[in-house]
Amino acid sequence: VPGFDPDGNGPITPPEANGVQDNTTDLCIVSNNGNKIEDIAEHSFVGSIQYMQPLTFSNMDLDWFVQASTVYSGERFADSNNLVTLDSYWTVDLRAGLTSEQWDLLLYVDNLLNDDTVKSVQGSGSQINTIRQGGFPPGPSGNTIAFLPDPRIIGLRGQVRF
């Protein structure tokens, strides 16, 4: 179909379906103390779709396009002790624009749903470890710093080629 270019990757059938025992799964999600590895969600998804068509306008050869992309990450632990949990989240971004040999014009919306779910955190650790690792001045101990995502951003971007 013109303008349709599917792309993907991943296993079609699980190894167990072919009579093969998969011993790597637990090694990828469990640490040596039995806890789940931090910042690794059990389920995640990344996807995008784009549609592009030619457009003839005033003797100019242009292409117009629309694109949507999404990211999902399931609930996951933020620390190796599995004490701090990060919620699952979805992000959706949209793009629409015109492109030619000489220039591009793009209208975009990042974080369409204005999702403010915390996506990453950093533990400050203890003052002894902070000093031992060369951090100065030593910070408060046992705290977790959360990094908020960007809010919804709507913008227009242009590019000219010489």
Side-chain angles (χ1 to χ4, degrees):
V1 175
F4 183 69
D5 185 16
D7 185 19
N9 61 47
I12 302 299
T13 57
E16 305 83 69
N18 297 325
V20 175
Q21 179 66 32
D22 182 9
N23 293 325
T24 61
T25 304
D26 289 341
L27 294 176
C28 294
I29 61 171
V30 178
S31 67
N32 61 359
N33 64 3
N35 290 341
K36 293 197 175 198
I37 296 176
E38 67 270 11
D39 210 26
I40 304 291
E42 189 171 345
H43 302 287
S44 62
F45 172 79
V46 175
S48 68
I49 187 168
Q50 177 173 316
Y51 182 78
M52 181 178 274
Q53 279 291 108
L55 174 69
T56 303
F57 178 75
S58 184
N59 292 333
M60 296 175 63
D61 288 327
L62 302 171
D63 289 328
W64 67 270
F65 67 92
V66 292
Q67 178 187 30
S69 59
T70 187
V71 174
Y72 168 77
S73 181
E75 186 178 79
R76 64 224 177 273
F77 291 104
D79 65 332
S80 60
N81 295 319
N82 293 175
L83 299 175
V84 177
T85 303
L86 296 174
D87 291 334
S88 62
Y89 67 88
W90 282 94
T91 59
V92 178
D93 300 328
L94 299 178
R95 308 274 184 268
L98 297 170
T99 184
S100 74
E101 287 187 28
Q102 292 82 24
W103 55 268
D104 296 332
L105 188 62
L106 171 74
L107 174 66
Y108 64 92
V109 181
D110 288 339
N111 193 5
L112 176 70
L113 306 175
N114 205 24
D115 186 349
D116 62 356
T117 304
V118 173
K119 294 179 177 64
S120 65
V121 298
Q122 176 181 343
S124 63
S126 71
Q127 290 190 11
I128 293 171
N129 284 336
T130 302
I131 294 169
R132 195 178 293 152
Q133 295 168 359
F136 187 81
S141 60
N143 289 327
T144 300
I145 302 166
F147 298 97
L148 295 175
D150 290 332
R152 179 184 305 122
I153 298 173
I154 301 171
L156 185 64
R157 186 177 301 144
Q159 176 180 353
V160 177
R161 289 181 280 284
F162 297 96

